[in-house]
Amino acid sequence: MARTQNPEEPIRVIVRVRPPQSGRDDLDVDSLAVRGDTVQLIRKQRTFSAQFDAALDGEADQRSLFSHIRPACEAALDGINATVLAYGQTGSGKTHTIFGGLLPDEQEGEERTGIAGRALHQIFEHAACAATCGTRVMVSASMLEVYNETLRDLLLPSVDGGHERPALALRESESRETYVQGLTEVPLHDAAAAVALIRRALRMRAIRATDANARSSRSHAVLQFIVEQRGGSARGGLRSRFCLVDLAGSERAMAAELLARDHQRERCQINTSLTALAKCVHALSVSTRGESH
């Protein structure tokens, strides 16, 4: 899902169907097909269909997916805040979609490069082009995770050599802008430095093996690029944020005795937060008495 502050198209929903994986039959459907912008599935002789702004089948690669995300990145380069959220069940490919090619111990390759890597290329390509017109583009980044309702800075060294970090607080400025107090922002001078930074942060993220995924993300990760532009065509200056959010995956309910206590807590917190997010998205998509939320 991509969201910008452009009033003409504030929210777009794009669905990507994960290709079947050998040895797994967790879709629990008789058939599934993508027809245009509609996904249709048949389960127990009942047909369900839903229409989206765009629908991609299991053959769609990372490049074709990014073609639908590119407008959000371009909006950020035009000074408009934009956000991309990857939402889905655990094991559905969210982390690959966002961070493909940047994951620990993963080989790099253009075909694997996800939204983060492609956005970086677009941002620094824009910076180089803008420099020829006298515009100075400065890029910095932050990265945090929300684990069991606690905000943790993934760019800070851990306090115990593991994954523990001081909890951060969410604040609101006098101008009513929401921010995370004390969150590290690191200047980025080129794409290579950015890639190294993201790789380091991802090694600190909370993960756990589950039945659906050997490296299941147990936290919501938020990578934020802050883009400032001064001089030249930027005139009085532009400042925008491009956020990439890799949400932890929802899990099906199972007997509590089959899960360790900390896994039970993670699952409960993840599912509760995803329900809250769904309510927020619904509020943004409807109007009450002519007023938008």
Side-chain angles (χ1 to χ4, degrees), residues 2 14 16 53 56-57 151 156 180 214 221 227 244 260-261 286:
I14 302 157
R16 184 188 199 185
D53 292 297
L56 306 176
D57 62 21
L151 297 173
L156 275 182
V180 178
V227 182
L244 302 178
R261 181 173 298 178
V286 300

Side-chain angles (χ1 to χ4, degrees), residues 156-235:
L156 275 182
S158 63
V159 297
D160 62 352
H163 290 271
E164 292 299 320
R165 283 169 175 70
L168 301 178
L170 198 63
R171 303 295 187 194
E172 187 175 86
S173 66
E174 293 182 359
S175 59
R176 304 196 67 180
E177 179 181 355
T178 302
Y179 69 98
V180 178
Q181 187 175 26
L183 182 63
T184 304
E185 288 188 8
V186 178
L188 303 176
H189 302 293
D190 53 46
V195 165
L197 187 77
I198 296 170
R199 282 184 178 274
R200 189 183 78 197
L202 288 172
R203 290 190 181 94
M204 299 298 105
R205 189 178 180 187
I207 61 172
R208 177 189 298 277
T210 67
D211 289 341
N213 191 352
R215 292 180 57 87
S216 176
S217 302
R218 312 313 296 162
S219 67
H220 308 305
V222 182
L223 170 62
Q224 182 173 235
F225 297 119
I226 302 95
V227 182
E228 295 186 68
Q229 304 180 68
R230 300 175 187 171
S233 59
R235 299 176 185 175

